[in-house]
Amino acid sequence: MNQSKIAVRYAKALFLTATEKNILDQVQNDIVLIESATKESEVFQAFLSNPANKPSAKSRFIDHVFGEGRIQPITLNFLHLIITNNRAHHLQDITRYFIHLYRKQKGIKSAVFTLATEPSQEIRKRIAEVLKDIYKSEIDLQVAVDSSLIGGFVLRVEDQQYDASVSSALHKMRSNLLQRN
């Protein structure tokens, strides 16, 4: 995980403070909401990252979006601190690293299960159960669809990958045939 030192420091500071105040789960929910806003809204990220926008305007914007009890006061104050210290352009990295720390603390593993077609809810549930049994850990399962796989699946859990796709098998077969000639 390639993170800037600034993002790591801010994420650790918020993580430790939330842990000390025994509100880690609530702050985690806030951070997931903020990360979603930065990923899904280019306008949100661009406004906060633009150095031409004054910190006071950024703070009002944050209050408008996340104020009025939408997130924990500690998280809102943290966002204001980031803005005051001109670190808003690091917000995506800070949220990403905070989530990494949270998952590590809680023993949650990330998994991406990629198939050629959309799986049913029953299959998703079964995959999550099997992975939970195998890894003896909670699993944050993301399901992706990639028609280029043709069939089969690719499973990635943390930094391990298992490729059981038809396209991969065909590629290996082709490579073997070409090596023999």
Side-chain angles (χ1 to χ4, degrees), residues 9 63 71:
R9 286 182 188 145
D63 286 338
I71 62 174

Side-chain angles (χ1 to χ4, degrees), residues 104-120:
K104 189 175 177 181
Q105 168 88 12
K106 297 290 184 175
I108 301 170
K109 295 196 180 288
S110 297
V112 178
F113 192 69
T114 307
L115 297 138
T117 59
E118 187 69 34
S120 67

Side-chain angles (χ1 to χ4, degrees), residues 107 109-111 127-139 155-162:
K109 295 196 180 288
S110 297
I127 292 165
E129 289 171 359
V130 168
L131 291 175
K132 186 176 180 178
D133 288 343
I134 291 170
Y135 288 96
K136 309 282 188 254
S137 176
E138 287 296 316
I139 300 292
L155 174 64
R156 183 168 187 74
V157 179
E158 298 291 313
D159 59 353
Q160 298 175 336
Q161 181 169 305
Y162 179 73

